[in-house]
Amino acid sequence: MDVAIALGVLTGLLIFALKASMGCGLAHLSCREIVLVASGYLLVATAMGLVIDRMSIDLMAEMIRAGVAMHTVLAICLVALGMLTLREWRRSGTDISRKTFWALSIPCPACMVATFLSCGVLADVIKISPARIGAAVGLMLFVTITSISLLLRRIRGGPDIIGRVMMLLGGFYILSIMLLPSYIQLQKTSLDCIAPEMHSELVPSYLILLLLISIGYVIRRKGVIV
């Protein structure tokens, strides 16, 4: 069980690091800029490690629920900025990836809370201070983000690569928006009785998905190939 929790936490951290690294590396940021982004993750992880044991499970669940709204904003930003990056590069050869990469590189609040919830469980199981867990996680994120970003900088290609990655991850976030509210609700209900409120929670997600599909259709009609 301990091994399964540790592997789950490690997988989540690697996904965080890869997402941030793609933004930094594919936008060809300087080494100093990459270190600054990685340092931000180090500070956030360390801070969460200091407060994680003072937060109740209910509060964390509410933070994850609130994070769905952040997922919505981030999904729209990823799709819109990815399309904008592609359009500017193909239309005028202008590389704006250094202005749009942040949508990939900023931490996702809901995912960070969920990961540190797992870290809190792991700390309780193996009897290690959550503060130490937070510092260890932050250091791991710092090293991983820096290393992967420097490797991705070697990829030769235009901003169309990062633009496509941003749109792909935006689509993934849309799926998480649709699934996460149902998952949280299922934790509070019996498997034999699904609360009708779950369906109303999914309505905004489907509307957002429909809106993004409509935007994509209009852009294609305007002659922009993405």
Side-chain angles (χ1 to χ4, degrees):
M1 183 64 178
D2 298 357
V3 175
I5 296 175
L7 288 176
V9 172
L10 181 60
T11 301
L13 292 177
L14 289 176
I15 292 174
F16 281 148
L18 181 60
K19 173 180 171 294
S21 300
M22 286 189 294
C24 296
L26 296 179
H28 296 92
L29 300 187
S30 66
C31 293
R32 178 177 175 272
E33 292 168 328
I34 291 174
V35 169
L36 286 176
V37 173
S39 298
Y41 276 83
L42 172 60
L43 293 176
V44 170
T46 303
M48 292 196 70
L50 293 174
V51 302
I52 194 71
D53 58 342
R54 299 180 177 89
M55 300 169 61
S56 66
I57 298 297
D58 291 338
L59 177 59
M60 290 184 184
E62 290 302 319
M63 292 177 65
I64 294 176
R65 185 186 295 274
V68 175
M70 295 300 298
H71 268 293
T72 302
V73 175
L74 196 53
I76 294 174
C77 287
L78 281 168
V79 175
L81 293 178
M83 289 182 175
L84 181 63
T85 302
L86 276 173
R87 186 191 67 180
E88 292 299 317
W89 177 250
R90 292 176 175 177
R91 185 176 66 178
S92 60
T94 304
D95 182 2
I96 63 170
S97 61
R98 291 180 60 86
K99 298 180 180 179
T100 59
F101 82 96
W102 61 266
L104 275 174
S105 296
I106 62 172
C108 169
C111 296
M112 287 292 287
V113 173
T115 296
F116 271 88
L117 177 60
S118 301
C119 288
V121 174
L122 181 62
D124 184 64
V125 169
I126 62 180
K127 307 303 180 183
I128 293 181
S129 167
R132 293 184 179 181
I133 288 284
V137 167
L139 184 60
M140 183 182 301
L141 286 173
F142 178 86
V143 173
T144 307
I145 290 173
T146 303
S147 303
I148 297 178
S149 296
L150 293 176
L151 288 175
L152 291 177
R153 284 180 62 195
R154 301 181 179 180
I155 295 179
R156 300 299 180 185
D160 56 327
I161 297 178
I162 189 172
R164 291 179 182 277
V165 169
M166 291 169 69
M167 289 190 293
L168 179 62
L169 285 181
F172 170 78
Y173 270 31
I174 291 171
L175 291 178
S176 71
I177 292 168
M178 298 170 63
L179 297 177
L180 187 56
S182 298
Y183 176 79
I184 295 174
Q185 187 68 28
L186 280 173
Q187 306 312 303
K188 300 181 179 180
T189 59
S190 168
L191 292 178
D192 298 326
C193 181
I194 304 299
E197 288 80 6
M198 288 178 57
H199 303 289
S200 62
E201 285 182 349
L202 290 177
V203 171
S205 302
Y206 287 115
L207 291 178
I208 292 170
L209 180 60
L210 180 61
L211 174 63
L212 293 176
I213 293 174
S214 301
I215 292 174
Y217 174 79
V218 172
I219 290 176
R220 289 293 295 270
R221 291 287 294 178
K222 293 292 184 179
V224 179
I225 301 176
V226 295

